[in-house]
Amino acid sequence: MEFVLRLDPRFRWTLYAALAVLFATGVVWLITDAWKDSPKGEFWQQASADLLMIHGGSAMLTLLVLGALIPTHLQRAWHSRKNRVAGAILGVTNGLLVVTAFGLYYAGSDALRAWISDVHSAVGLMVPILLVAHIVLGRRSMRAASGRGSR
Ligand code: HEM
Ligand code: HEM
């Protein structure tokens, strides 16, 4: 049953592309936002707004992909008892990003929104390293299991 933990390549690359766009637009937004009070402030403000639009659109695609991942990957992987710690960390990370993204849209007070923005950005910056660690550890655990003849 473990062979189904490998994702369909098209699905896997859609996930990687959506997360890469989220990461890139998030990081570049942090830079353009810091420049919004510079002499060319108007330009950077427009660039920030455009980046957030791409980020928000990509977030919608990511929600679809993450939702599809629950029955196809998370549940199966969890029941196979493989890579549980790295999987749980990645699951919680993505959950935090979705919850804080909701907060970015609907938080009432400016102070709360600023705090949520910091948490969202800090957690988001960790995504690449957590995802790569998850995949490396996951593949290692699958190889170890197949070496023991249980795959
Ligand atoms: C309960 C949580 C999770 C568990 C137990 C888990 C477990 C695993 C395991 C065992 C593998 C290795 C599969 C193989 O090489 O055959 C793997 C790979 C992978 N996982 Fe997870 N995972 C979890 C959550 C997640 C989440 C939340 C994401 C994405 C946000 C994710 C994305 C991936 C990707 C992209 C791969 C590489 C798949 C491939 O090579 O086709 N996983 N995971
Ligand atoms: C992959 C790493 C990610 C990084 C580095 C990142 C970074 C950022 C940054 C810097 C902002 C701007 C914060 C602000 O307006 O104060 C932002 C906004 C936002 N992010 Fe992310 N994010 C990531 C992943 C995600 C994910 C997974 C989702 C949801 C599925 C998401 C949804 C949103 C939404 C909805 C906003 C608000 C957009 C708006 O105000 O128009 N982000 N993100």
Side-chain angles (χ1 to χ4, degrees), residues 58-140:
S58 186
M60 289 170 190
L61 172 63
T62 306
L63 286 177
L64 276 179
V65 178
L66 287 176
L69 209 62
I70 294 173
T72 55
H73 182 73
L74 270 78
Q75 287 183 347
R76 286 172 177 166
W78 189 262
H79 290 304
S80 78
R81 312 181 79 87
K82 304 243 164 34
N83 209 18
R84 274 186 166 178
V85 174
I89 292 173
L90 198 57
V92 168
T93 300
N94 280 287
L96 269 176
L97 285 169
V98 173
V99 170
T100 49
F102 177 86
L104 284 172
Y105 276 147
Y106 301 113
S109 86
D110 282 351
L112 180 62
R113 194 187 185 284
W115 183 79
I116 292 173
S117 172
D118 288 348
V119 174
H120 183 86
S121 308
V123 174
L125 291 175
M126 293 192 300
V127 164
I129 183 98
L130 293 178
L131 182 63
V132 171
H134 173 81
I135 293 169
V136 170
L137 291 171
R139 291 188 178 169
R140 196 177 291 167

